[in-house]
Amino acid sequence: MKFGVEEKILWPAFLIGVLALFLSVPAVQAQGTQNLPPPPAPWRPKPTPTPKPEPEVLDVIKTTSNLVMVPVSVTDQTGQAVQGLKVADFRLLEEGKQQEIAYGEARGFGAPRVTYRMRDWLISRQRYWGTPIPIIYCPMDGVVPVPEEDLPVLLPEDSEFRPTGESPLKYDERFKNVPCPVSGGPAERETDTMDTFMDSSWYQYRYLSPHFGEGPFDPSKVDWVPVDQYTGGIEHATMHLLYFRFFTKAMRDLGLVTIDEPVTRLINQGIILGPDSQKMSKSRGNVVNPDDYVDNLGADVFRCYLMFIGPWEDGGPYRPEGIEGVTRWLHRVWNLTLDEPRFADAIDADATRDLQRRRHKTVRVVSEDMETFRFNTMLARLMEYTNELSRVKDSGRIDPAVWNDAVETLLLMTAPAAPHITEELWERTGRPYSIHTQTWPSFDPALAEDEQLTVVVQVNGKVRDRLTVPVDATREQVEAMAMASDKVAGQIDGAAVRNVVYVPGRLVNIVVT
Ligand SMILES: [Zn+2]
């Protein structure tokens, strides 16, 4: 057997391989049989961190507000020594900035300049979903924009999604291969798409004229902006809100719009937490599935419950027991509307007037709550109003026209919160389709005010004062007002009060000795 060149190289490799096999076998056995902890990592000395060179102090400047500025010499990334200033107190940052600028200018190494920092926004993505980038690459003419008459570039609807990890547009030959707009020769379309923020940053302008074909939006419709209300979660603050404002400012500078801000009011909604007051997550197992409630109780009950859970801006924990009350309320609205009261022959004029007043008052407060997104108190007021209607209905002595009006108002005010049930009730009571195209109920401010009563105040049976009190004031409130009256205090003048006689809504008689 001859040992050639090949064997000479193979032999050492073979030996190393056998050695490795030999050494590894005991280790495998030890792990398999005794389950020992892994051997400790070999000890190595900890690397000593290179100390940052302390800036060399060149000078100390004291300013009018005792701000200490320390001119220093530091080494920059390229290893060059540069002069700078250190400010000790950041409360005085603005003044420090001015001092720094002056210092830099005087020594000729700096000048003031405003710079902008836009949050990084990835404009092109390697995926299908997004706005196509209207660019064509031609081997002859280079980068050519898609001519305006060919805009917008639409995404193909028959692209094949393959597990390549890449955009299907890259493999869509019909989308990709286009004639060059300049020479007509073969060219390729850009297959990256823009981030979806590219659409959502200005869609509010397109919504004004969605069928307009001559451009992004009809300039004659654009004076409808700004948008009155922006709602969303706080997580939009550094993304959509920023881009949406940036687009408006850029569009303003281009002369497309005349407004500075795209929206006039922002309200962030809170988050509905899990029953354990923690953010809902699959890993915590505290996710509430709305579908189960919608299937059992209906979408209206569930929506009203979410509105009722707490202030809209705060959110709050999901408490399933609270849904019962909302269910009962909507049942009451249903019965109240469909069961006609048995109207008595003799109408109670006071009760009728009270109901009218209650109706105007409820429209006022519900309208206010609606405009300020206080949906939880809005529903509480509608529930109170429903209770009042139930009470009045049992008496049966209300003017039928006033009763009808009161119930119609209840349906109209409840419609935004419970759209399905109210539409059904609207139809069953023979009203014209649809409840959602009716005007919002109006109120008379005078009637919406609390009704006032005049209460006579006597001291030992002699009239001393007259008080104007709300119709629903309690005995304690009226007595306290009577005692606080200057005219009454002058009569009592330190005498002991033996008794107070109260005739509700009419009279207070203070008996003194
Ligand atoms: Zn070309």
Side-chain angles (χ1 to χ4, degrees):
M1 194 178 181
K2 281 187 174 177
F3 289 91
V5 180
E6 283 175 3
E7 284 87 342
K8 274 182 188 164
I9 296 165
L10 283 172
W11 264 106
F14 174 72
L15 283 173
I16 289 166
V18 170
L19 193 66
L21 190 68
F22 180 73
L23 287 172
S24 68
V25 169
V28 169
Q29 281 176 339
Q31 276 180 8
T33 53
Q34 291 167 33
N35 199 18
L36 288 174
W43 182 87
R44 281 195 193 91
K46 272 187 186 165
T48 30
T50 341
K52 258 191 175 177
E54 272 297 306
E56 182 197 343
V57 175
L58 303 173
D59 194 4
V60 172
I61 308 165
K62 277 198 176 150
T63 69
T64 43
S65 55
N66 294 325
L67 168 70
V68 177
M69 305 288 297
V70 188
V72 289
S73 174
V74 290
T75 313
D76 72 5
Q77 295 102 313
T78 62
Q80 270 194 314
V82 291
Q83 283 191 6
L85 278 176
K86 247 170 74 170
V87 184
D89 188 345
F90 278 86
R91 283 170 301 181
L92 302 164
L93 196 63
E94 197 41 54
E95 195 192 336
K97 263 195 272 180
Q98 298 309 320
Q99 292 284 339
E100 244 181 57
I101 291 166
Y103 187 89
E105 274 187 315
R107 282 156 188 80
F109 69 80
R113 207 181 105 196
V114 177
T115 53
Y116 296 95
R117 198 171 143 246
M118 182 76 181
R119 194 185 152 90
D120 185 26
W121 183 19
L122 182 69
I123 195 160
S124 70
R125 292 174 181 256
Q126 295 76 51
R127 62 181 191 191
Y128 176 86
W129 294 275
T131 309
I133 298 173
I135 289 293
I136 291 167
Y137 300 99
C138 171
M140 307 295 294
D141 305 295
V143 180
V144 183
V146 172
E148 196 158 338
E149 60 269 23
D150 294 342
L151 293 177
V153 176
L154 298 176
L155 287 171
E157 288 181 16
D158 55 356
S159 282
E160 247 190 282
F161 287 78
R162 291 182 211 162
T164 58
E166 288 172 300
S167 167
L169 298 176
K170 252 183 115 172
Y171 303 100
D172 192 321
E173 299 298 328
R174 278 187 297 169
F175 177 76
K176 199 163 105 177
N177 298 324
V178 279
C180 167
V182 179
S183 63
E188 280 188 7
R189 205 185 273 292
E190 170 65 62
T191 55
D192 278 7
T193 57
M194 286 184 266
D195 192 290
T196 48
F197 277 118
M198 185 55 92
D199 304 307
S200 62
S201 297
W202 65 277
Y203 51 24
Q204 73 274 17
Y205 302 108
R206 178 67 184 176
Y207 286 168
L208 304 176
S209 47
H211 307 294
F212 186 69
E214 313 302 311
F217 53 82
D218 184 347
S220 72
K221 295 279 166 60
V222 84
D223 53 354
W224 288 3
V225 291
V227 172
D228 297 309
Q229 176 68 56
Y230 183 110
T231 68
I234 192 71
E235 71 276 10
H236 292 295
T238 54
M239 302 278 281
H240 184 250
L241 258 184
L242 195 66
Y243 306 144
F244 157 85
R245 294 182 63 216
F246 181 84
F247 263 62
T248 291
K249 286 170 197 297
M251 286 166 74
R252 174 203 60 196
D253 292 351
L254 290 168
L256 297 171
V257 296
T258 53
I259 52 171
D260 293 324
E261 293 289 349
V263 61
T264 51
R265 191 172 73 165
L266 164 73
I267 301 179
N268 291 126
Q269 82 256 19
I271 297 170
I272 304 292
L273 304 170
D276 55 356
S277 300
Q278 300 289 315
K279 216 171 169 177
M280 288 190 197
S281 80
K282 275 185 188 162
S283 60
R284 282 202 191 93
N286 62 348
V287 176
V288 175
N289 181 10
D291 292 349
D292 301 338
Y293 289 93
V294 171
D295 287 347
N296 291 322
L297 300 166
D300 282 356
V301 168
F302 194 69
R303 184 186 307 97
C304 287
Y305 172 63
L306 289 182
M307 293 166 105
F308 196 54
I309 223 166
W312 194 75
E313 288 159 88
D314 296 352
Y318 184 84
R319 301 242 182 274
E321 59 274 16
I323 209 160
E324 297 282 319
V326 174
T327 313
R328 275 199 302 273
W329 167 57
L330 286 172
H331 279 152
R332 195 169 294 162
V333 171
W334 181 271
N335 294 332
L336 200 67
T337 310
L338 294 183
D339 301 344
E340 279 268 308
R342 284 179 295 114
F343 295 112
D345 293 337
I347 286 164
D348 182 338
D350 279 355
T352 300
R353 202 195 46 210
D354 279 354
L355 178 61
Q356 259 176 323
R357 196 167 47 76
R358 174 65 81 138
R359 185 181 75 84
H360 285 272
K361 205 174 154 180
T362 307
V363 174
R364 190 194 73 195
V365 291
V366 167
S367 306
E368 283 168 5
D369 283 348
M370 182 74 95
E371 279 172 16
T372 48
F373 281 49
R374 291 194 301 255
F375 303 125
N376 58 328
T377 56
M378 175 191 85
L379 288 177
R381 295 179 196 287
L382 288 172
M383 290 174 186
E384 270 172 40
Y385 181 58
T386 309
N387 290 345
E388 178 72 9
L389 288 180
S390 302
R391 203 182 55 74
V392 163
K393 184 184 174 186
D394 293 339
S395 79
R397 296 170 66 200
I398 298 293
D399 178 336
V402 172
W403 170 258
N404 230 24
D405 210 18
V407 171
E408 184 167 302
T409 303
L410 173 66
L411 294 181
L412 288 169
M413 289 190 297
T414 307
H420 304 102
I421 291 175
T422 49
E423 184 77 285
E424 182 73 19
L425 289 170
W426 192 258
E427 198 200 306
R428 286 194 188 207
T429 49
R431 292 175 163 96
Y433 184 82
S434 151
I435 190 169
H436 303 298
T437 57
Q438 307 301 314
T439 42
W440 187 249
S442 59
F443 64 92
D444 177 344
L447 281 173
E449 283 302 311
D450 277 324
E451 204 173 16
Q452 305 283 316
L453 290 172
T454 303
V455 173
V456 171
V457 183
Q458 296 177 338
V459 177
N460 289 343
K462 277 194 171 175
V463 175
R464 296 299 179 187
D465 203 357
R466 282 171 214 279
L467 300 174
T468 305
V469 302
V471 71
D472 53 354
T474 63
R475 174 182 185 145
E476 287 70 29
Q477 286 168 336
V478 177
E479 282 187 22
M481 284 171 81
M483 290 297 187
S485 156
D486 286 345
K487 290 170 190 166
V488 171
Q491 291 298 316
I492 297 175
D493 196 25
V497 175
R498 281 179 49 205
N499 193 17
V500 179
V501 178
Y502 179 63
V503 181
R506 297 226 173 131
L507 175 133
V508 178
N509 184 22
I510 302 163
V511 183
V512 295
T513 46

